[in-house]
């Protein structure tokens, strides 16, 4: 079925209005086919989710049965200075990392959209970091690149800046290197941008060119507005992913969030509380706070989208 | 038309993204049962087991360590299985970093290994939460052979929940080859003061033109406790942290002074290599001439650095007139309270602790054996570095004081907290006294929350 047909179908359904639910044989068969996935979701996702919500109201050290403590864990959220610091670190990462990655992704998508030769190869090369970016191996590599004797300093040496500075081990630059790692994984957004650019009808550009619009003008008045739904999509997904970032910080700092807590990401702190200090009840409360934060960010995003996202209906 | 689809697509993607991030969080909380443990014993659980039971029994043994330890322990298991053909031992090993996460998860899931290598920092946390078996009721285990002071450090609340495997002591390890190359020789280390130590460390940095630094910092609960005891204080008493903020502050100040004078690497250089593995550490790479470490690590460092090393006493300010030192159990053996085979588990610990065949295989890799008879038994086969560690422990006899209180329940994270606050001090985002007070508060809250 082509996309057009699918859309037509969706439109028809809309026109037909809400229909009473019927348990046709088709639906039953669908349920049977979905069963493996549904069971997986129930056992591996919904079950633990519910359990963690219950645990958030308890004192649970893993070794003894949980003890109900009411809102004590949530009260502690307010006074926990390390938590507040980890929020600061995570917000910095999200606020700088996500837009930077999107800007790079959009820029490269625009370049690749020119239809150069060997496009498929470039696209694959640029996409590669996205596949590798959250892997342990790359995070280990990052330590080596930005260490005191690392590649980055060797490169600086080549252009005449001689330094032994360890970018990973300095509290003022350590977070920057992890943000850079995030920006480097722009590939998946880039591929989505590319797909979005392909959807913009060529006639628009032709008409604009006839009217004497410059390339910049075309970008600002055609590309950007028509691309806003895609930008929005990438932004929302990017923010959600960035908030749950864990591997990079864990490996780059060897699980400490150091130096001096400068890379103490929210999820890393959650992990330290749960598995380092055996405060699983508090860690569960932290997890649910993160859900609320991500939910709030997403809601705000959706609300704000009506002011800048342009749907071509 | 297409944009309607885009919007749907966006909504779907958002939903999927949220679900994924939720799943990522929940998998950390759920304490999903450790899957790797193959502890399930084939024998029926209900039948009372005795050490002479001929029916086959499987027990699990878990430990942390490096490759050398894994190999030696596997050989001990083979020897044990040859001696007791009805018992099969399943090994389960990892490095220190993942060990405690895993043990906690397994214990929570009811899959705890039967025999557990235990550490002083975690003993009270596990014993106090009912996760360990009282070993005084295990008849297959002979405890009379062990040093009584060490044995006392395996008790919690009147129960013998852990058996010390070995003893270790705090020392300075010196790369004498490096000193020779720099044309320096050690001063009198029997009675040296902290000032003399810093001066000497600085002379190393100066002599090398900065390519080698004199010393690393000392940063763990053991050295903090020794510092406290040398100054009439103690880290823990009455099951809580009672060390004075001034004592911790002066301990932090020491490293800050060294870092500023150049006796020690800068905060940044230290932070970069602080978590490196032993063979990638600055000492192994010849960038540090001295480090503070456990005396029994000397052999491993000597091998990694491929150099001659010497163990010397840590400085004191009163010429060793205070009995501040103690031998610390390098590690312990415990039995899980979930075990179905306490007697067989006891047999295994007894074999490791008291059988000369096991001692010969293990050497001093886990530290100097807590059973003095085993130290005599392996004396002949020790390497020079290992002999040094034994001699060093003996040389401390005159400064050995009473045993300390073990780390209380809830304070297991003391080493990581100490490192974190020292970094704050070294990077000067905090002063020694402020960091000391915050450190004490954090440990105190952890202990309180665990009650």
């Amino acid at each position: 079925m082509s996309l057009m047909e699918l859309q037509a179908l969706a439109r028809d359904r809309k026109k037909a209005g809400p229909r009473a639910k019927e348990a046709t044989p088709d639906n039953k068969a669908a349920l049977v086919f979905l069963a493996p996935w549904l069971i997986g979701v129930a056992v591996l996702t919904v079950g633990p989710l519910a359990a963690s919500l219950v645990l958030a109201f308890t004192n649970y050290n893993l070794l003894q049965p949980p003890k109900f403590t009411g809102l004590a864990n949530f009260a502690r959220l307010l006074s926990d200075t390390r938590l507040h610091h980890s929020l600061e670190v995570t917000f910095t990462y999200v606020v700088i990392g996500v837009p930077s990655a999107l800007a790079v992704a959009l820029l490269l998508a625009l370049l690749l959209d020119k239809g150069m030769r060997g496009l498929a190869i470039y696209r694959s090369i640029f996409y590669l970091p996205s596949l590798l970016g959250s892997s342990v191996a790359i995070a280990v590599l990052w330590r080596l690149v930005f260490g005191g004797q690392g590649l980055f300093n060797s490169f600086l040496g080549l252009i005449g800046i001689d330094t032994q500075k360890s970018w990973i081990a300095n509290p003022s630059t350590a977070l920057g290197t992890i943000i850079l790692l995030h920006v480097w994984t722009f590939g998946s957004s880039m591929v989505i941008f590319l797909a979005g650019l392909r959807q913009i009808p060529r006639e628009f550009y032709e008409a604009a060119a006839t009217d004497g619009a410059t390339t910049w003008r075309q970008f600002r008045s055609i590309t950007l507005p028509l691309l806003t739904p895609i930008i929005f999509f990438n932004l929302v997904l990017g923010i959600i992913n960035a908030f749950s970032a864990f591997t990079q910080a864990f490996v780059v700092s060897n699980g400490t969030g150091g130096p001096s807590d400068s890379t103490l990401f929210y999820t890393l702190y959650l992990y330290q509380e749960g598995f380092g200090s055996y405060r699983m009840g508090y860690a569960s409360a932290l997890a649910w706070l993160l859900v609320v934060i991500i939910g709030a960010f997403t809601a705000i995003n959706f609300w704000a989208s009506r002011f800048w996202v342009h749907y071509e209906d | 038309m297409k944009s309607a689809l885009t919007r749907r697509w966006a909504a779907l993607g958002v939903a999927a993204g949220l679900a994924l991030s939720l799943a990522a969080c929940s998998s950390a909380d759920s304490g999903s049962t450790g899957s790797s443990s193959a502890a399930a014993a084939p024998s029926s659980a209900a039948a009372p087991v005795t050490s002479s039971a001929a029916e086959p029994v499987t027990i699990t043994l878990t430990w942390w360590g490096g490759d050398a330890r894994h190999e030696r322990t596997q050989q001990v298991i083979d020897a044990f299985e040859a001696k007791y053909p009805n018992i099969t031992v399943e090994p389960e090993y990892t490095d220190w970093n993942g060990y405690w996460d895993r043990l906690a998860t397994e214990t929570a899931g009811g899959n705890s290994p039967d025999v557990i290598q235990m550490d002083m920092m975690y003993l009270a946390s596990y014993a106090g939460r009912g996760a360990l078996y009282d070993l005084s009721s295990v008849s297959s285990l002979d405890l009379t052979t062990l040093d009584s002071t060490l044995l006392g450090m395996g008790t919690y609340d009147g129960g013998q929940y852990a058996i010390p495997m070995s003893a270790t002591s705090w020392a300075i390890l010196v790369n004498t080859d490096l000193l020779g190359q720099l044309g320096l020789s050690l001063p009198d280390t029997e009675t040296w003061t902290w000032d003399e130590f810093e001066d000497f460390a600085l002379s190393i940095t100066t002599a090398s033109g900065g390519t080698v630094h004199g010393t690393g910092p000392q940063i763990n609960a053991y050295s903090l406790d020794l510092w406290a005891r040398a100054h009439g204080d103690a880290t823990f008493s009455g099951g809580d942290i009672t060390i004075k903020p001034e004592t911790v502050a002066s301990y932090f100040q020491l490293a800050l002074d060294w870092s500023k004078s150049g006796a020690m690497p800068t905060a940044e250089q230290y932070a970069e290599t602080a978590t490196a593995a032993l063979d990638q550490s600055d000492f192994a790479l010849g960038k540090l001439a001295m480090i503070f470490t456990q005396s029994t690590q000397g052999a491993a460092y000597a091998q990694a650095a491929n150099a001659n090393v010497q163990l010397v006493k840590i400085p004191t300010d009163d010429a060793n007139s205070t009995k501040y030192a103690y031998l610390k159990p390098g590690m312990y053996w415990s039995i899980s309270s979930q075990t179905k085979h306490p007697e067989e588990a006891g047999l295994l610990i007894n074999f490791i602790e008291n059988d000369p065949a096991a001692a010969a295989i293990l050497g001093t890799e886990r530290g100097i054996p807590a059973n003095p008879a085993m130290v005599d038994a392996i004396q002949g086969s020790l390497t020079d570095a290992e002999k040094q560690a034994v001699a060093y422990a003996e040389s401390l006899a005159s400064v050995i004081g009473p045993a300390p209180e073990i780390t209380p329940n809830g304070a297991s994270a003391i080493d990581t907290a100490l490192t974190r606050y020292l970094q704050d001090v070294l990077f000067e985002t905090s002063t020694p006294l402020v960091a000391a007070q915050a450190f004490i508060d954090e440990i105190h809250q952890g202990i309180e929350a665990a009650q």
Side-chain angles (χ1 to χ4, degrees):
Chain A
M1 202 189 308
S2 78
L3 281 183
M4 298 290 259
E5 284 173 279
L6 203 73
Q7 284 166 338
L9 208 68
R11 213 171 34 233
D12 289 348
R13 262 194 89 90
K14 225 188 228 167
K15 276 181 193 149
R19 271 187 288 181
K21 283 200 176 129
E22 331 156 39
T24 63
D26 268 6
N27 286 352
K28 279 183 192 149
L31 273 180
V32 171
F33 280 113
L34 279 173
W37 183 80
L38 285 174
I39 292 169
V41 168
V43 175
L44 299 176
T45 304
V46 179
L49 262 179
S52 88
L53 185 56
V54 174
L55 287 177
F57 295 92
T58 66
N59 180 356
Y60 179 44
N61 59 35
L62 282 174
L63 304 177
Q64 288 167 309
K67 272 182 297 216
F68 185 73
T69 55
L71 293 170
N73 286 332
F74 295 95
R76 203 183 142 206
L77 293 174
L78 299 174
S79 62
D80 185 349
T81 48
R82 275 194 93 201
L83 165 66
H84 303 157
H85 177 72
S86 78
L87 279 171
E88 205 177 299
V89 169
T90 312
F91 277 111
T92 311
Y93 176 74
V94 171
V95 168
I96 300 179
V98 174
S100 310
L102 284 190
V104 173
L106 181 56
L107 195 70
L108 275 154
L110 287 169
L111 285 177
L112 291 183
D113 194 43
K114 297 276 179 251
M116 57 177 75
R117 238 186 303 165
L119 173 68
I121 296 170
Y122 287 115
R123 203 169 46 201
S124 307
I125 290 174
F126 288 133
Y127 186 63
L128 211 54
S130 290
L131 298 175
L132 303 173
S134 58
S135 74
V136 173
I138 290 298
V140 170
L141 182 73
W142 224 245
R143 277 186 76 85
L144 299 177
V145 169
F146 287 98
Q149 316 283 330
L151 264 179
F152 187 68
N153 281 349
S154 309
F155 171 74
L156 287 183
L158 285 181
I159 58 171
I161 305 166
D162 200 19
T163 177
Q164 291 279 312
K165 184 180 167 68
S166 172
W167 305 86
I168 290 285
N170 189 311
S172 49
T173 54
L175 182 58
T177 63
I178 299 183
I179 291 178
L180 202 62
L181 176 56
H182 177 78
V183 173
W184 185 60
T185 61
F186 58 84
S188 53
S189 321
M190 182 198 72
V191 167
I192 298 171
F193 276 135
L194 263 177
L197 288 172
R198 292 292 161 84
Q199 287 189 342
I200 300 174
R202 296 286 136 185
E203 307 88 76
F204 290 1
Y205 293 107
E206 282 158 22
T210 317
D211 289 346
T214 60
T215 318
W216 169 243
R217 185 64 205 243
Q218 289 179 18
F219 171 74
R220 226 169 38 120
S221 303
I222 302 173
T223 315
L224 216 47
L226 289 180
L227 214 52
T228 46
I230 309 280
I231 296 176
F232 175 59
F233 170 77
N234 273 332
L235 185 69
V236 171
L237 271 196
I239 286 176
I240 292 173
N241 283 334
F243 267 114
S244 28
F246 175 78
T247 317
Q248 301 92 317
F250 183 83
V251 177
V252 170
S253 73
N254 259 326
T256 62
S260 207
D261 271 357
S262 58
T263 60
L264 186 71
F265 279 54
Y266 191 93
T267 51
L268 188 55
Y269 180 56
L270 188 158
Y271 176 82
Q272 285 184 1
E273 281 294 302
F275 288 97
S277 308
Y278 294 174
R279 287 192 280 264
M280 205 49 87
Y282 185 57
S284 299
L286 285 174
W288 280 93
L289 177 63
L290 183 61
V291 170
V292 170
I293 292 174
I294 294 179
F297 259 78
T298 310
I300 292 171
N301 244 325
F302 267 90
W303 173 80
S305 73
R306 62 174 105 165
F307 301 110
W308 66 274
V309 178
H310 173 78
Y311 289 108
E312 194 205 345
D313 279 329
Chain B
M1 225 160 56
K2 69 173 189 301
S3 49
L5 184 72
T6 316
R7 189 182 294 170
R8 250 160 231 277
W9 189 30
L12 195 74
V14 167
L18 263 174
L20 276 176
S21 71
L22 282 173
C25 299
S26 64
S27 63
D29 311 328
S30 59
S32 59
T33 53
S35 53
S36 49
S37 163
S43 69
S44 82
V49 243
T50 63
S51 55
S52 58
E55 62 181 309
V57 165
T58 302
I59 54 176
T60 319
L61 171 68
T62 186
W63 70 89
W64 73 83
D67 287 342
R69 182 171 304 166
H70 302 333
E71 283 163 25
R72 290 184 189 211
T73 312
Q74 186 56 53
Q75 288 172 29
V76 169
I77 290 174
D78 294 343
F80 176 77
E81 287 176 338
K83 190 169 178 180
Y84 301 96
N86 67 315
I87 306 177
T88 307
V89 179
E90 299 262 358
E92 203 183 292
Y93 49 85
T94 169
D95 63 350
W96 169 269
N97 282 335
Y99 185 79
W100 300 101
D101 304 0
R102 179 170 169 160
L103 185 60
T105 322
E106 284 178 339
T107 308
N111 303 315
S112 171
D114 300 270
V115 180
I116 301 165
Q117 185 173 306
M118 182 51 64
D119 183 82
M120 186 151 120
M121 284 193 292
Y122 286 86
L123 173 56
S125 292
Y126 276 79
R129 288 159 179 168
L132 302 180
Y133 201 91
D134 189 346
L135 301 171
S136 50
S137 61
V138 179
S139 62
S140 59
L141 189 51
D142 181 7
L143 302 177
T144 59
T145 57
L146 304 176
D147 178 273
S148 61
T149 314
L150 280 179
L151 197 57
M153 281 192 257
T155 58
Y156 174 82
D157 209 13
Q160 185 77 48
Y161 290 104
I163 308 296
M165 163 74 202
S166 59
T168 188
S169 44
W170 198 237
I172 295 172
L173 188 68
V174 185
N175 184 333
T176 47
D177 288 0
L178 213 48
L179 291 191
Q181 286 163 25
L182 297 171
L184 297 167
S185 55
L186 273 170
D188 174 17
T189 57
E190 275 307 302
T191 55
W192 61 351
T193 65
W194 288 100
D195 283 343
E196 286 166 11
F197 170 79
E198 185 183 353
D199 288 345
F200 180 64
L202 191 52
S203 72
I204 295 172
T205 312
T206 314
S208 74
T211 55
V212 176
H213 281 87
T215 181
Q218 54 168 356
I219 186 68
N220 60 10
Y222 188 19
S223 63
L224 174 67
D225 201 27
L226 293 179
W227 176 259
R229 286 160 65 102
H231 293 84
D233 205 346
T235 316
F236 301 112
S237 61
D240 199 354
I241 184 164
T242 52
I243 192 168
K244 292 192 203 71
E246 295 75 24
T247 312
V248 183
S250 60
Y251 174 84
F252 286 155
Q253 185 70 47
L254 212 54
L256 181 61
D257 290 346
W258 299 346
S259 163
K260 280 185 167 170
S261 72
M264 188 184 111
T266 63
E268 196 181 282
Q269 289 165 327
Y270 158 66
E272 185 172 3
T273 52
T275 49
L278 188 146
D279 58 351
Q280 290 299 315
S281 65
D282 282 346
F283 188 84
L285 300 176
K287 292 183 198 163
L288 280 181
M290 302 189 283
I291 48 163
F292 290 84
T293 186
Q294 300 190 349
S295 58
T296 43
Q297 293 274 291
Y301 274 112
Q303 197 181 3
N306 193 20
N308 288 303
V309 298
Q310 188 180 341
L311 286 167
V312 302
K313 281 184 183 149
I314 65 169
T316 55
D317 284 329
D318 59 2
N320 287 311
S321 58
T322 309
K323 290 186 182 301
Y324 72 94
Y326 59 89
L327 300 183
K328 177 183 170 293
M331 54 201 70
Y332 303 84
W333 294 111
S334 290
I335 297 179
S336 165
S337 58
Q338 295 170 10
T339 187
K340 290 171 185 135
H341 308 288
E343 288 300 327
E344 281 79 0
L347 267 183
L348 176 59
I349 297 179
N350 198 56
F351 183 77
I352 299 173
E353 293 270 349
N354 297 328
D355 197 307
I361 296 169
L362 293 172
T364 63
E365 198 280 323
R366 275 188 170 85
I368 299 163
N371 178 348
M374 294 303 116
V375 183
D376 296 340
I378 61 173
Q379 196 68 257
S381 59
L382 295 181
T383 66
D384 283 348
E386 288 175 325
K387 279 183 188 141
Q388 260 201 61
V390 176
Y392 178 75
E394 284 163 2
S395 78
L396 288 177
S398 65
V399 284
I400 298 274
E405 258 191 51
I406 63 168
T407 312
N409 184 357
S412 303
I414 184 166
D415 267 6
T416 49
L418 202 57
T419 309
R420 176 152 40 82
Y421 284 109
L422 178 73
Q423 284 190 350
D424 289 349
V425 170
L426 291 182
F427 282 112
E428 301 192 66
T429 54
S430 183
T431 66
L433 197 57
V434 171
Q437 189 61 57
F439 164 76
I440 291 169
D441 290 347
E442 183 176 323
I443 300 300
H444 174 71
Q445 282 164 13
I447 294 170
E448 211 170 40
Q451 299 313 309

Short mmCIF file of all heavy atoms in Angstrom, two decimals, chain A residues 240-267:
data_model
loop_
_atom_site.label_atom_id
_atom_site.label_comp_id
_atom_site.label_asym_id
_atom_site.label_seq_id
_atom_site.Cartn_x
_atom_site.Cartn_y
_atom_site.Cartn_z
N ILE A 240 13.83 14.09 24.59
CA ILE A 240 13.56 12.88 25.38
C ILE A 240 14.82 12.03 25.50
O ILE A 240 15.19 11.56 26.58
CB ILE A 240 12.40 12.07 24.75
CG1 ILE A 240 11.10 12.85 24.88
CG2 ILE A 240 12.28 10.71 25.41
CD1 ILE A 240 9.94 12.23 24.15
N ASN A 241 15.50 11.84 24.36
CA ASN A 241 16.73 11.03 24.39
C ASN A 241 17.80 11.66 25.26
O ASN A 241 18.49 10.97 26.01
CB ASN A 241 17.29 10.87 22.97
CG ASN A 241 16.49 9.84 22.20
OD1 ASN A 241 15.90 8.94 22.80
ND2 ASN A 241 16.46 9.98 20.90
N ALA A 242 17.95 12.97 25.15
CA ALA A 242 19.01 13.64 25.89
C ALA A 242 18.77 13.55 27.40
O ALA A 242 19.71 13.37 28.17
CB ALA A 242 19.11 15.11 25.45
N PHE A 243 17.52 13.64 27.80
CA PHE A 243 17.24 13.53 29.23
C PHE A 243 17.58 12.15 29.76
O PHE A 243 17.94 11.99 30.92
CB PHE A 243 15.76 13.85 29.52
CG PHE A 243 15.52 15.27 29.87
CD1 PHE A 243 14.79 16.10 29.05
CD2 PHE A 243 16.05 15.80 31.05
CE1 PHE A 243 14.57 17.42 29.37
CE2 PHE A 243 15.84 17.12 31.38
CZ PHE A 243 15.10 17.94 30.53
N SER A 244 17.42 11.14 28.93
CA SER A 244 17.71 9.80 29.43
C SER A 244 19.13 9.33 29.11
O SER A 244 19.43 8.15 29.24
CB SER A 244 16.66 8.81 28.94
OG SER A 244 16.11 9.22 27.72
N ALA A 245 20.02 10.24 28.69
CA ALA A 245 21.40 9.86 28.37
C ALA A 245 22.08 9.27 29.60
O ALA A 245 21.96 9.78 30.70
CB ALA A 245 22.18 11.08 27.89
N PHE A 246 22.79 8.18 29.39
CA PHE A 246 23.44 7.51 30.52
C PHE A 246 24.83 6.98 30.15
O PHE A 246 25.82 7.31 30.80
CB PHE A 246 22.56 6.35 31.01
CG PHE A 246 23.18 5.52 32.09
CD1 PHE A 246 23.21 5.98 33.39
CD2 PHE A 246 23.76 4.29 31.80
CE1 PHE A 246 23.79 5.22 34.40
CE2 PHE A 246 24.35 3.54 32.80
CZ PHE A 246 24.36 4.00 34.10
N THR A 247 24.88 6.19 29.07
CA THR A 247 26.11 5.47 28.76
C THR A 247 27.33 6.38 28.67
O THR A 247 28.37 6.09 29.26
CB THR A 247 25.97 4.73 27.42
OG1 THR A 247 24.70 4.12 27.39
CG2 THR A 247 27.05 3.70 27.25
N GLN A 248 27.16 7.50 27.92
CA GLN A 248 28.32 8.37 27.70
C GLN A 248 28.92 8.83 29.02
O GLN A 248 30.12 8.71 29.25
CB GLN A 248 27.91 9.60 26.88
CG GLN A 248 27.32 9.29 25.52
CD GLN A 248 25.81 9.19 25.59
OE1 GLN A 248 25.25 8.57 26.51
NE2 GLN A 248 25.13 9.76 24.62
N ALA A 249 28.05 9.35 29.89
CA ALA A 249 28.55 9.88 31.15
C ALA A 249 29.11 8.76 32.02
O ALA A 249 30.13 8.92 32.68
CB ALA A 249 27.43 10.60 31.89
N PHE A 250 28.45 7.63 31.98
CA PHE A 250 28.89 6.52 32.83
C PHE A 250 30.30 6.07 32.44
O PHE A 250 31.16 5.89 33.29
CB PHE A 250 27.91 5.34 32.71
CG PHE A 250 28.25 4.18 33.60
CD1 PHE A 250 27.85 4.18 34.93
CD2 PHE A 250 28.97 3.10 33.13
CE1 PHE A 250 28.16 3.13 35.77
CE2 PHE A 250 29.29 2.04 33.95
CZ PHE A 250 28.88 2.05 35.29
N VAL A 251 30.53 5.93 31.15
CA VAL A 251 31.83 5.42 30.71
C VAL A 251 32.90 6.51 30.80
O VAL A 251 34.00 6.26 31.30
CB VAL A 251 31.74 4.85 29.28
CG1 VAL A 251 33.10 4.38 28.82
CG2 VAL A 251 30.75 3.71 29.25
N VAL A 252 32.56 7.70 30.33
CA VAL A 252 33.58 8.75 30.30
C VAL A 252 34.08 9.06 31.71
O VAL A 252 35.25 9.32 31.93
CB VAL A 252 33.03 10.02 29.60
CG1 VAL A 252 33.98 11.19 29.79
CG2 VAL A 252 32.85 9.76 28.11
N SER A 253 33.18 9.00 32.70
CA SER A 253 33.60 9.32 34.07
C SER A 253 33.82 8.06 34.90
O SER A 253 33.98 8.14 36.11
CB SER A 253 32.56 10.19 34.75
OG SER A 253 31.42 9.41 35.06
N ASN A 254 33.80 6.91 34.27
CA ASN A 254 33.94 5.64 34.99
C ASN A 254 32.88 5.47 36.07
O ASN A 254 33.14 4.93 37.15
CB ASN A 254 35.32 5.54 35.62
CG ASN A 254 36.23 4.66 34.79
OD1 ASN A 254 35.78 3.68 34.19
ND2 ASN A 254 37.50 5.00 34.74
N GLY A 255 31.69 5.96 35.81
CA GLY A 255 30.58 5.75 36.74
C GLY A 255 30.56 6.72 37.90
O GLY A 255 29.66 6.65 38.74
N THR A 256 31.54 7.65 37.97
CA THR A 256 31.59 8.52 39.13
C THR A 256 30.83 9.82 38.91
O THR A 256 30.45 10.48 39.87
CB THR A 256 33.04 8.91 39.47
OG1 THR A 256 33.58 9.62 38.35
CG2 THR A 256 33.88 7.67 39.73
N GLY A 257 30.61 10.21 37.64
CA GLY A 257 30.02 11.52 37.39
C GLY A 257 31.05 12.63 37.57
O GLY A 257 30.71 13.79 37.54
N GLY A 258 32.29 12.23 37.75
CA GLY A 258 33.34 13.20 38.02
C GLY A 258 33.91 13.77 36.74
O GLY A 258 33.42 13.47 35.66
N PRO A 259 34.93 14.59 36.78
CA PRO A 259 35.57 15.07 37.99
C PRO A 259 34.69 16.06 38.76
O PRO A 259 34.05 16.90 38.14
CB PRO A 259 36.83 15.76 37.46
CG PRO A 259 36.50 16.14 36.06
CD PRO A 259 35.57 15.07 35.57
N SER A 260 34.70 15.89 40.06
CA SER A 260 34.01 16.84 40.93
C SER A 260 32.53 16.99 40.56
O SER A 260 31.98 18.07 40.59
CB SER A 260 34.72 18.20 40.86
OG SER A 260 34.54 18.90 42.04
N ASP A 261 31.90 15.87 40.17
CA ASP A 261 30.46 15.84 39.84
C ASP A 261 30.09 16.66 38.61
O ASP A 261 28.92 16.94 38.39
CB ASP A 261 29.60 16.31 41.03
CG ASP A 261 29.25 15.14 41.94
OD1 ASP A 261 29.63 14.00 41.62
OD2 ASP A 261 28.60 15.37 42.97
N SER A 262 31.09 17.02 37.78
CA SER A 262 30.76 17.89 36.64
C SER A 262 30.01 17.14 35.54
O SER A 262 29.41 17.77 34.68
CB SER A 262 32.04 18.50 36.07
OG SER A 262 32.93 17.48 35.69
N THR A 263 30.03 15.82 35.51
CA THR A 263 29.26 15.06 34.52
C THR A 263 28.24 14.16 35.20
O THR A 263 27.92 13.09 34.72
CB THR A 263 30.17 14.20 33.62
OG1 THR A 263 30.88 13.28 34.46
CG2 THR A 263 31.17 15.04 32.87
N LEU A 264 27.74 14.62 36.34
CA LEU A 264 26.75 13.82 37.07
C LEU A 264 25.39 13.98 36.41
O LEU A 264 24.57 14.79 36.82
CB LEU A 264 26.69 14.26 38.54
CG LEU A 264 25.79 13.40 39.43
CD1 LEU A 264 26.42 12.03 39.66
CD2 LEU A 264 25.52 14.06 40.76
N PHE A 265 25.15 13.18 35.37
CA PHE A 265 23.85 13.22 34.69
C PHE A 265 22.78 12.66 35.62
O PHE A 265 23.06 11.88 36.51
CB PHE A 265 23.91 12.37 33.41
CG PHE A 265 24.55 13.09 32.26
CD1 PHE A 265 25.80 13.65 32.39
CD2 PHE A 265 23.90 13.21 31.06
CE1 PHE A 265 26.39 14.33 31.34
CE2 PHE A 265 24.48 13.87 30.00
CZ PHE A 265 25.72 14.43 30.14
N TYR A 266 21.57 13.07 35.35
CA TYR A 266 20.44 12.65 36.19
C TYR A 266 20.37 11.13 36.31
O TYR A 266 20.27 10.57 37.40
CB TYR A 266 19.15 13.20 35.61
CG TYR A 266 17.97 13.06 36.54
CD1 TYR A 266 17.62 14.08 37.40
CD2 TYR A 266 17.23 11.89 36.57
CE1 TYR A 266 16.56 13.95 38.27
CE2 TYR A 266 16.16 11.74 37.43
CZ TYR A 266 15.82 12.79 38.28
OH TYR A 266 14.77 12.65 39.14
N THR A 267 20.44 10.46 35.16
CA THR A 267 20.31 9.00 35.18
C THR A 267 21.48 8.35 35.89
O THR A 267 21.34 7.30 36.50
CB THR A 267 20.25 8.45 33.75
OG1 THR A 267 21.35 9.00 33.02
CG2 THR A 267 18.97 8.82 33.07
#
